[in-house]
Amino acid sequence: MEHPHKPTPLTKKFFTPWVIVLAAIALNGILFLLARFVFGIGAVTNLDNQYPWGIWIGLDVAAGVALAAGGFTTAAIGHIMHNDKYESIIRPALLTALLGYTFVAVSVMVDLGRWYYIWHPIIMWNGNSALFEVGICVMIYLTVLYIEFLPIVTERFIGRVNLPGILSRFNKLVNTFLIKLDKGLDKTMFIFIIAGVVLSCLHQSSLGTLMIIAGPKMHPLWQTPILPLLFLLSAIAVGFPMVIMESLTASRSFGLKPETEVLNSLSRFIAPLLGIYLIAKIGDMVIRETFVYLSELNSTTILFGIEVVIGVIVPLRMFMSPAVRESTKGLYIASMLVIFGIVMNRFNNFITAYNPPYALDSYMPSIGEISVTLGFIAIEILLYRLFVKIFPVISIPAKKSLSKTKFAIRGAAK
Amino acid sequence: MSQNRRDFLKTVAAIGTSAGALSALSPNKVKAKSPENLSEERMGVLVDATVCIGCRKCEWACRGAHDIENGNIQDYADEKVFETNRRPDYDNLTIVNRYESSDEKLSNVKLQCMHCDHPACVSACIVGAISKKKNGSVVWDTDMCIGCRYCMVACPFQIPAFEYHKALDPKIVKCDFCDERTMEGKLPACTAICPVEALTYGKREDLLIEAKRRFKNNPDRYYQHIFGEHEIGGTSWLYIADKDLAGTVFPKLDNRTAPGVSESIQHGLFAYFVPPVAVYALLGGIMWLTKDKKKTEGK
Ligand code: SF4
Ligand code: SF4
Ligand code: SF4
């Protein structure tokens, strides 16, 4: 390796004008959240008996899970296939997945009418329910993500345990515990890494099964028995663009040199992955002959067009071009388009496509719903910023060539 | 460069196989389970829209039987409500709507949960709070419900209502086929009060025979189709009218059960945990192979 990178806590200051803007958006969201818990779902949202699910499920949960796919796709390519060169992107992707899924869980809770019973599915099972499967998988995967993140915590604190005041006499004890924990994790991590990938494949696809039971209530442009496959393929396709977008944003925001080389080689996978997804999607339409619905021009077909053309075909073409892949700007724009396309897809599946039989008018998210969704995104970004300052997540070029750090190939059975 | 290509092929192959493993079990290969207790003895109600006079006494009685404030029965004669197309809600589990029938005559039709034979809501409920009973009614356990509202997403008739106005303990509400009353041997409240016998309570089998008898005796009076006999796999509540109710009063539905496809996929993905375990083994294998390769390549 020419530029050895080592994950290091960043030292840049936390507050910038952008951070303040984000904090304001977060605060606004929190206010509406409070209103939701005090006055009920009906007071804050535009949901009703016809439209039981809105953007809190369609975007916060469904799109949130898809966009956190970078965690398992990078784990697959870096850890499972032992591609050391992707080392530097695994931790940022892991952190995003961790935050992403945490907020998926929080969003589910906010949307549940009886949120204090969120634990019920653990003991009350319904194997026929796609939602049950999603719920259980997400719960387990979230735990796995926290376990995968633990070594980063131990790495941060081993030899640096410094408890305040009287607690300081436990410093040594805690340190020994951390070292023990770290050793144990080191040996068993591969189990969790594989489990993480399997669990991801399962619930990414089950999320697609969710709307199948709505049957004819869902527009035929989206309703298909292969929805689970489409959801899985699109999640895999959006994983790397997410990682690229974040990495570029982070390096810009923290004034680091973008890791062009790694990102460039990562971006080569995107066109084929998007291609597979597109083929499955178009192939399915041809087989079911649903393209006939495209002859009408209405908001539904326009949204479909935007999703497929701007969100899949354009970035697919862009990622095929080496010139785009080599330019930071090109990479950024193309990645953003893929992300946009998948978010649109989830929105379309859960909201545009859903046409309840007796609805008099269609659902539009309320100010409250939008505020909460934006608020969560803002909080996630702020937490990301905070975490990379506390924990060694982002790799920065090391001064001299280091031998492989002990913590570099986490999870690889050595 | 060659290194790059190999990495790439390796990755795509691996992702392809794992996706393939997941999707290989195509839907419909695995048969969906039918509810264990779909009893031959299940009850139903035959609604004859040609008889209903739209007095809405059934709405009043229904509220009364479910501890919902139901006011004065005389007020229900007010026909203004027919101007809007109403839907069942948390404070009104059944409603009567007026619709224009074949020869521009006005007819009335009472709506509530259909108590499907293969209910989408039962299949969907995340905690299994809803169940189809032997007597045909589809009932639920409020204490289990977490308020996810997936049952509402699933129901083809858009029946379950949710108490959106409540911050604490909002409930899912729908017609429960007067489960308490029928267990005591009483008729459902609506059926008991109906002054013109627009509603007939009985064994579903017998109701089908009765409907066909009416078709035969009065062929001009009816559109010869029992809505609910086969729709969505069959429903406990059956409707006959002077015109086709599908596409107007009810959505157009085919005869496949609502949860069929979804359940086959669900069971396909999880058939005895084989697919998840297979993917796990596959990924473990790849992890081992690539690791060994790195060792032999030396470094
Ligand atoms: S009509 Fe809807 S709520 Fe009633 S049993 Fe059928 S699926 Fe369930
Ligand atoms: S809202 Fe309640 S009854 Fe309906 S699916 Fe969710 S848990 Fe089940
Ligand atoms: S009580 Fe009978 S006649 Fe009156 S509205 Fe109800 S179903 Fe119709």
Side-chain angles (χ1 to χ4, degrees), chain B residues 51-58 96 110 190 193-196 198-199:
Chain B
V51 174
C52 175
I53 51 170
C55 66
R56 293 173 56 224
K57 288 201 167 74
C58 48
V96 180
K110 171 188 179 301
C190 53
I193 202 167
C194 182
V196 291
L199 312 170

Side-chain angles (χ1 to χ4, degrees), chain A residues 38 42 48-50 52-53 80 82 111 113-114 116-117 120 126 128-129 133 191 210 212 217 225 354 358 413, chain B residues 89 124-125 142 144-150 152-153 155 158 162 164 169-170 266-267 270 280 287 290-291:
Chain A
V38 177
D48 55 28
N49 290 337
Q50 297 294 317
W53 282 358
I80 292 187
H82 289 97
D111 190 75
R114 302 153 72 88
Y116 33 85
Y117 290 145
H120 273 185
N126 178 9
N128 287 334
S129 167
E133 202 279 308
I191 300 176
L210 272 189
I212 286 183
K217 292 203 279 183
Y354 181 77
Y358 305 100
Chain B
D89 207 341
C125 178
T142 294
M144 290 170 81
C145 172
I146 65 173
C148 66
R149 309 188 296 285
Y150 190 34
M152 305 169 72
V153 172
C155 172
Q158 208 65 35
F162 187 69
Y164 285 103
D169 269 345
Q266 192 62 14
H267 295 302
F270 286 87
Y280 197 100
M287 207 163 172
T290 48
K291 184 199 77 172

Side-chain angles (χ1 to χ4, degrees), chain A residues 36-43 45 47-54 57 73 76-77 79-86 111-121 124-135 137 190-198 201-202 205-206 209-217 224-226 228-229 232-233 236 240 265 268-269 272-273 276 354 356-358 360 409 411-414, chain B residues 1 3-5 7-12 14-15 18-20 22-23 27 33 85 87-90 111 119-128 142-172 232 248-253 258-259 261-263 265-267 269-270 275-277 279-281 283-291 294-295:
Chain A
R36 176 257 172 270
F37 283 107
V38 177
F39 303 112
I41 295 181
T45 69
L47 300 176
D48 55 28
N49 290 337
Q50 297 294 317
Y51 291 95
W53 282 358
I57 295 293
T73 51
I77 190 176
H79 286 319
I80 292 187
M81 290 167 217
H82 289 97
N83 261 318
D84 292 350
K85 72 167 171 241
Y86 298 122
D111 190 75
L112 285 185
R114 302 153 72 88
W115 48 273
Y116 33 85
Y117 290 145
I118 193 169
W119 50 273
H120 273 185
M124 301 168 190
W125 292 16
N126 178 9
N128 287 334
S129 167
L131 189 62
F132 170 75
E133 202 279 308
V134 172
C137 262
F190 75 100
I191 300 176
F192 296 109
I193 287 172
I194 306 181
V197 176
V198 176
C201 288
L202 289 177
S205 47
S206 287
T209 321
L210 272 189
M211 292 306 280
I212 286 183
I213 201 164
K217 292 203 279 183
T224 154
I226 68 157
L229 181 65
L232 179 63
L233 292 178
I236 294 174
F240 296 152
S265 61
R268 287 172 307 126
F269 298 104
L273 292 174
I276 297 173
Y354 181 77
Y358 305 100
L360 297 174
I409 333 174
K414 279 171 209 157
Chain B
M1 191 59 212
Q3 168 72 29
N4 284 351
R5 185 156 55 231
D7 287 356
F8 164 74
L9 285 176
K10 239 167 28 187
T11 315
V12 168
I15 292 171
S18 38
L22 275 167
S23 59
K33 278 190 287 178
N85 221 353
R87 295 292 304 156
D89 207 341
Y90 66 90
L111 299 170
C121 57
V122 171
S123 167
C125 178
I126 180 168
V127 289
T142 294
D143 293 334
M144 290 170 81
C145 172
I146 65 173
C148 66
R149 309 188 296 285
Y150 190 34
C151 48
M152 305 169 72
V153 172
C155 172
F157 299 99
Q158 208 65 35
I159 288 298
F162 187 69
E163 297 181 317
Y164 285 103
H165 60 290
K166 282 195 189 165
L168 220 55
D169 269 345
K171 288 193 284 291
I172 282 286
I232 218 93
T248 51
V249 168
F250 295 115
K252 275 206 172 73
L253 298 164
V261 184
S262 163
E263 285 188 10
I265 295 173
Q266 192 62 14
H267 295 302
L269 287 178
F270 286 87
V277 173
V279 178
Y280 197 100
L283 293 176
I286 296 174
M287 207 163 172
W288 266 104
L289 287 177
T290 48
K291 184 199 77 172
K294 203 161 65 190
K295 247 185 216 156

